[in-house]
Amino acid sequence: MTDKIAYETHGPVAVLRLQNPPVNALSQQVRQGLSDGMDRAEADDAVQAVLIVGDGRAFIAGADIKEFGKPLTEPNLPDLCTRIESSPKLVVASMHGVSLGGGLEVALGCHYRVAQPTARVGLPEVHLGILPGAGGTQRLPRLTGAQKAVEAITTGRHIKAAEALELGIIDRIEEGDPLEVGLAYAQDLLSQGAPRRPVSALPNLEGIDWDATYDNVLRKGRGQISPATAVRAVQAASELPFEKGIKRERELFMELMNTDQRKGLIHAFFNERAVSNLPELKGVDPRPVQTIGVIGGGTMGAGIATAALLSGLNVVLIEMTDDAATGAHKRIAGNLAGALKRGKINQEKHDALLNVALEVSQNYDSLRDADLVIEAVYEDMDVKKEVFGKLDAACKPGCVLATNTSYLDVNEIAASTARPADVIGLHFFSPAHVMKLLEIVVADRTAPDVVATGFALGKMLGKVSVRAGVCDGFIGNRILAVYRTAADHMILDGASPYHIDKVLKDFGFAMGPFEVADLAGLDIGWATRKRKAPDRHPQERVPTYIDRLCEQGHFGQKTGEGYYVYEEGKRGGTPNPKIPDLIAAEQAELGITPRDFTDAEILRRYMCAMVNESAKVVEEGIAARPLDVDMTLLFGYGFPRYWGGPMKWADIQGLPSVLADIERYAAEDAWFWAPADLLKKLVAEGRTFDDLNKEAAQ
Ligand code: HSC
C-alpha cells in the first residue's frame, strides 16, 4: 500500500480511501495503492465487498495531468480499471464532488455507483487534446447508448448527479457522508445478494451513422481533433468486442497523446491557473471589496457593472446626464435579462440585482462607500484626468482607483491624483460580462495590496487575470498592433484580406483579423493611425487604403460596409468589391508589383510577427513570463486554445526556425522585423519560452 490510499475494514466491507489532495488525481502512487488495496481485500476471506471513496473535495478529478508527456509508469490506469472490474468481490464507488476522466473511469470499473446529489461526473479529456483512455469510451456507451455517450465525450461536459442517474451512469443518489453512504449501499447490496455487474459484460450497443457523426464533430471542433477522434473510439465500442475495443481506444489515445494539440491544451490548462500565481502577491492581503463604482455607462461600463452585479457586488454607476443614465440603466437591464434568459439567475435574483444592488447616479458623492472605482469613459488623457480629479475628491481613503484605458499611460493618470499608490489599470475586454480576460496594469507607484485587490476582483468576477506593465497597448493590444501590421504589409505586397482571414480561421481563430476589424469598427484603427502619426518612425510602412473607406463614413459592421458588406438580417458579410481597387490604387502609388502568397507563408509571417513582439513584451518586463502572453492571447484575442498561445506555438515550431524566418523577413524590412533580443538569446542558449515559465515557477 502507498500512503495515498488508506485501507480499513468495516465489517465485511474493505474501504479504499483516496488521500491525494487537492482533487485525488490518479498519480502512480494512487494507482499502485488502489491495486495493492484490491489485492489485500481479495486476500481477506472476511471481506465480501470493496468500497472506493475519496477524501477531501472530490472523488477523483482524473489521471494526474502532470504525468502526461513523461514515460508511462505501472500500473497503468486502463489495467487498473479492468483489474477492479474483474475482482471476484463486489466493488462499489461512492462519489462526491467531481468524478472526471480517469476518476469516472475508475467508477465505471466498479460494479455499482452511488453519488451525492451535488456530485458531477464527466469525461472532459477532449479538452486536454486526448480521449478517455481507461475504458471510458467503451464502458460509458454500454450504459448510456451510443448517441448520449458521443455527446458526453465529445463535449466533455460535466453531468449533474440527477442526469447521470437518468442516463444510467450511476445507480443511486444518496445524501450524506460519502463513506457512510457508500458503506450503507454496499451492505444493502450484500444483504440483497446483488451480483457483480461488470459494465464490460453488457452487450454491444446500437450503431449510429458514424461517418456523419465524425464529420459533424470535426467541423464543430474548428480544427481541434480530439473530439472527432473520440467518436472513432466510441464507434469501436459498437463494432468490436470489449477487449478489442479497449485496444482500439488505447491506439487512438496514444495517437492523440503525441500531438502538438495535446501539448498546447495542457499548457493552457496549467497556465490559466498559474497566471495569477505571482511572487509579488504572496502574503499580500487584498483590500476588501463589496461596493464598486463604475464611471461611464457605455457598452464597456455597463458590461463591467453587469459582471460585478452577477458576482454579488454592489454597483454605483455614474453618468453625466439624464439621458446617459437612462441609457446605462437600459444596457445593464438588457445584460441581466440575457443572464435571466440563459438561466444564470432567477427572476428574484434578477430583480434584486437591478433594483437593490445597482444605483445609477449623476453625482460623484454617491461613490462615498465604494471600495474600488473603475473609470470607463472616453479614451482621452484630459478626460481621464478630469475624472480622476473628481474621484480623488469624492472617494474614501484606501479606495482603489482603476482606469479601464486600453492604451493610455497609467503612470500619467496616477500622477494626476494625490494618491498614485491607489491607482491601477483594470483593462476589461468587451463585452466585459462575457470576455474572460482582465489585464491588470501595474503602474510604477501602484501599492502591492492594490495589485492584490485587482487580482482578487478578477477572481470574484471569474476572469483570467494577467499582470501587465505600462506601455502603449499593454500586453494584448501592443502585440495585436504588430501582427495586424504584418497582415497589412502582406496586403500591400499582394495578399487579399479574404485570403488572410481564411488562413487564420483554418489555423483555429474564430474570426479572421479583417472580420474582427469590421466588428470592432474601422474608425478605431483609423483614429489610432492618426494618433500615432506624429511619432512614426520614418521606416514604418503604414497602409492607408482602408482610410479612404473610413473617409466615406464606412466603419465596418456598424455601418454595413467595411472589408465586407453586411446585409440586414444576414449573418456574416460578403467581400466588399471596393477593397481590391483601394488596395490596387495604393500599390500603384507606392510602385509595388503585387505577388502571390501561399497559405503557409501568410500564417508564418502573421505568427512570426506575433511571436517576435511577444518576446519583446517579455524582455521588457511588460509581461512577467511567456505564459502571461499566452493567456492574454487565448482569453482576449481568440487565439486557438489548442495551440496553447503564441509562445507555446513558437516552442512547438522550434525557436531556431522561427528566428531564422524573422531574420529572413528582416532582409526586406529591417525596422519592422528587428528580431527580439530575448528570442536570439534563447536560440543561442538552446532554450525555450517554456523554460522561462518553469524558472519563474521555482
Ligand atoms: C484523464 O483522466 C485521462 C484518462 O482518461 C486516461 C488516462 C490513461 C492513461 C493510459 C496510458 C496507457 N491532474 O482547477 P482547480 C490541480 S485526463 C493534476 O484550481 P477547481 C490543478 O492544477 C484528466 N492536477 O480547482 C490545481 O493545482 P494548483 C481528466 C490537477 O475547484 C488544483 O488541482 N480530468 C488535476 O476550480 C485545483 O484545481 C480533467 O480534465 C488533474 N487531473 O476545479 C479534470 N485536476 O492548485 C481537470 C486538477 O497547483 N480538472 N488539478 O493550481 C478540473 O476540471 C478542475 O481542476 C476541477 C477542480 C473541476 C477538478
Side-chain angles (χ1 to χ4, degrees):
M1 296 289 296
T2 66
D3 62 2
K4 298 288 179 191
I5 303 291
Y7 184 96
E8 56 208 40
T9 51
H10 294 248
V13 183
V15 176
L16 307 186
R17 215 150 35 84
L18 284 89
Q19 297 179 320
N20 190 25
V23 288
N24 291 325
L26 292 156
S27 64
Q28 188 279 336
Q29 280 189 313
V30 173
R31 301 194 303 274
Q32 188 63 58
L34 283 172
S35 178
D36 294 348
M38 291 302 297
D39 288 348
R40 186 164 162 189
E42 285 171 14
D44 184 346
D45 290 340
V47 168
Q48 294 172 42
V50 180
L51 171 68
I52 302 180
V53 66
D55 268 3
R57 63 196 229 220
F59 175 64
I60 306 171
D64 186 342
I65 304 169
K66 289 190 209 84
E67 290 182 358
F68 290 179
K70 298 184 184 157
L72 296 175
T73 50
E74 298 292 324
N76 72 38
L77 194 56
D79 291 351
L80 177 65
C81 293
T82 303
R83 195 250 168 279
I84 291 170
E85 189 183 57
S86 53
S87 175
K89 311 220 164 166
L90 203 70
V91 191
V92 176
S94 179
M95 300 144 79
H96 74 289
V98 291
S99 306
L100 298 174
L104 179 56
E105 289 173 305
V106 166
L108 294 175
C110 298
H111 304 132
Y112 293 89
R113 288 160 289 282
V114 59
Q116 298 290 312
T118 50
R120 284 175 292 142
V121 306
L123 294 173
E125 284 88 341
V126 294
H127 298 308
L128 300 171
I130 52 172
L131 50 75
T137 65
Q138 307 303 297
R139 289 193 178 91
L140 190 76
R142 282 177 160 80
L143 291 171
T144 65
Q147 201 76 56
K148 300 245 165 65
V150 163
E151 190 275 331
I153 293 172
T154 59
T155 62
R157 74 185 170 94
H158 291 193
I159 300 169
K160 291 184 180 151
E163 188 187 352
L165 183 68
E166 219 171 90
L167 290 170
I169 302 172
I170 57 172
D171 303 295
R172 193 190 267 212
I173 296 178
E174 199 78 52
E175 189 160 13
D177 173 62
L179 174 64
E180 299 300 326
V181 164
L183 282 173
Y185 188 40
Q187 299 277 12
D188 225 26
L189 290 165
L190 287 177
S191 60
Q192 288 168 29
R196 289 171 62 258
R197 213 186 39 168
V199 177
S200 66
L202 294 172
N204 274 19
L205 50 140
E206 87 284 10
I208 55 175
D209 185 341
W210 293 106
D211 288 346
T213 306
Y214 176 88
D215 290 344
N216 188 25
V217 172
L218 188 64
R219 202 182 50 249
K220 277 198 203 144
R222 273 216 303 266
Q224 189 178 329
I225 51 172
S226 49
T229 309
V231 172
R232 293 304 187 203
V234 183
Q235 180 177 1
S238 123
E239 294 174 352
L240 301 173
F242 184 80
E243 291 70 28
K244 287 204 168 135
I246 280 278
K247 268 200 180 142
R248 182 75 187 125
E249 177 192 84
R250 173 81 63 90
E251 282 165 16
L252 294 167
F253 177 87
M254 293 314 289
E255 249 174 49
L256 290 176
M257 202 58 161
N258 290 324
T259 58
D260 292 338
Q261 292 198 358
R262 191 272 299 164
K263 292 180 198 152
L265 285 164
I266 286 182
H267 177 81
F269 176 85
F270 281 119
N271 290 321
E272 76 182 273
R273 289 164 174 79
V275 71
S276 51
N277 195 356
L278 289 162
E280 73 191 272
L281 299 177
K282 294 246 153 64
V284 182
D285 287 331
R287 298 181 187 174
V289 175
Q290 186 46 51
T291 298
I292 73 160
V294 178
I295 315 299
T299 308
M300 183 56 93
I304 296 171
T306 308
L309 288 167
L310 288 172
S311 306
L313 296 170
N314 297 321
V315 174
V316 179
L317 187 139
I318 306 289
E319 257 302 358
M320 303 212 318
T321 62
D322 283 351
D323 278 357
T326 309
H329 196 274
K330 255 196 199 145
R331 273 186 280 278
I332 296 169
N335 293 342
L336 291 176
L340 175 66
K341 204 168 138 203
R342 284 192 304 279
K344 270 183 93 175
I345 45 172
N346 61 23
Q347 186 69 49
E348 194 188 342
K349 180 93 195 253
H350 167 272
D351 298 349
L353 294 184
L354 197 58
N355 304 325
V356 183
L358 172 67
E359 179 189 346
V360 179
S361 165
Q362 292 171 45
N363 187 345
Y364 274 68
D365 289 344
S366 310
L367 295 170
R368 77 188 78 80
D369 294 329
D371 305 302
L372 181 149
V373 180
I374 306 168
E375 151 292 299
V377 301
Y378 188 65
E379 283 285 82
D380 177 285
M381 185 54 91
D382 293 338
V383 177
K384 302 270 188 200
K385 281 185 181 167
E386 193 191 325
V387 167
F388 271 78
K390 289 185 190 163
L391 293 179
D392 214 356
C395 295
K396 67 183 181 189
C399 175
V400 173
L401 306 184
T403 170
N404 179 55
T405 181
S406 357
Y407 58 85
L408 294 175
D409 185 346
V410 184
N411 283 321
E412 193 180 334
I413 296 174
S416 75
T417 70
R419 35 174 139 174
D422 292 340
V423 176
I424 194 163
L426 292 178
H427 182 210
F428 288 82
F429 289 70
S430 192
H433 56 300
V434 177
M435 294 290 287
K436 290 280 276 183
L437 182 65
L438 174 63
E439 276 183 312
I440 296 184
V441 186
V442 181
D444 291 348
R445 295 169 68 184
T446 309
D449 65 339
V450 170
V451 182
T453 309
F455 275 90
L457 178 75
K459 193 165 182 197
M460 272 187 248
L461 302 184
K463 303 292 177 201
V464 172
S465 304
V466 179
R467 184 202 198 279
V470 177
C471 69
D472 196 314
F474 314 125
I475 298 178
N477 282 348
R478 171 169 160 182
I479 297 168
L480 166 75
V482 173
Y483 63 78
R484 261 306 310 260
T485 302
D488 282 333
H489 288 174
M490 286 190 271
I491 288 187
L492 278 189
D493 292 335
S496 99
Y498 314 108
H499 188 185
I500 294 176
D501 274 354
K502 181 184 176 302
V503 168
L504 288 155
K505 284 195 283 186
D506 288 349
F507 178 71
F509 279 96
M511 295 171 85
F514 298 99
E515 289 173 329
V516 172
D518 270 1
L519 182 67
L522 299 179
D523 45 332
I524 296 182
W526 190 31
T528 307
R529 277 187 291 284
K530 285 191 261 187
R531 174 171 64 85
K532 289 189 173 172
D535 308 320
R536 191 155 284 149
H537 192 278
Q539 284 172 32
E540 195 175 345
R541 287 176 86 195
V542 185
T544 54
Y545 65 92
I546 202 68
D547 296 353
R548 306 289 89 76
L549 206 67
C550 294
E551 285 156 10
Q552 294 165 25
H554 303 304
F555 299 140
Q557 273 202 28
K558 60 187 168 194
T559 60
E561 188 176 331
Y563 284 95
Y564 297 82
V565 177
Y566 302 89
E567 275 179 54
E568 192 94 27
K570 272 203 184 155
R571 276 191 75 191
T574 48
N576 185 347
K578 288 183 195 162
I579 295 287
D581 294 342
L582 293 175
I583 296 171
E586 186 164 359
Q587 286 165 337
E589 202 178 302
L590 297 171
I592 295 171
T593 311
R595 68 175 179 89
D596 287 339
F597 279 79
T598 62
D599 290 10
E601 186 183 1
I602 288 173
L603 180 64
R604 197 72 183 176
R605 282 177 178 262
Y606 194 79
M607 286 305 303
C608 282
M610 196 184 299
V611 171
N612 201 29
E613 191 63 15
S614 300
K616 290 177 187 174
V617 159
V618 174
E619 163 189 311
E620 292 169 25
I622 299 298
R625 304 151 294 189
L627 70 89
D628 297 83
V629 173
D630 281 343
M631 295 309 108
T632 301
L633 271 290
L634 283 197
F635 290 99
Y637 296 81
F639 193 93
R641 186 177 169 96
Y642 56 76
W643 282 112
M647 313 221 84
K648 184 65 184 176
W649 176 89
D651 277 349
I652 289 171
Q653 305 310 303
L655 297 190
S657 79
V658 172
L659 177 61
D661 282 348
I662 292 172
E663 284 171 339
R664 203 157 45 79
Y665 305 145
E668 300 159 11
D669 183 345
W671 186 82
F672 180 78
W673 286 105
D677 288 340
L678 178 64
L679 185 55
K680 290 196 279 190
K681 184 168 179 281
L682 289 176
V683 171
E685 292 170 354
R687 295 196 301 153
T688 63
F689 289 123
D690 230 3
D691 289 336
L692 299 181
N693 291 329
K694 286 186 192 125
E695 278 163 26
Q698 277 159 12

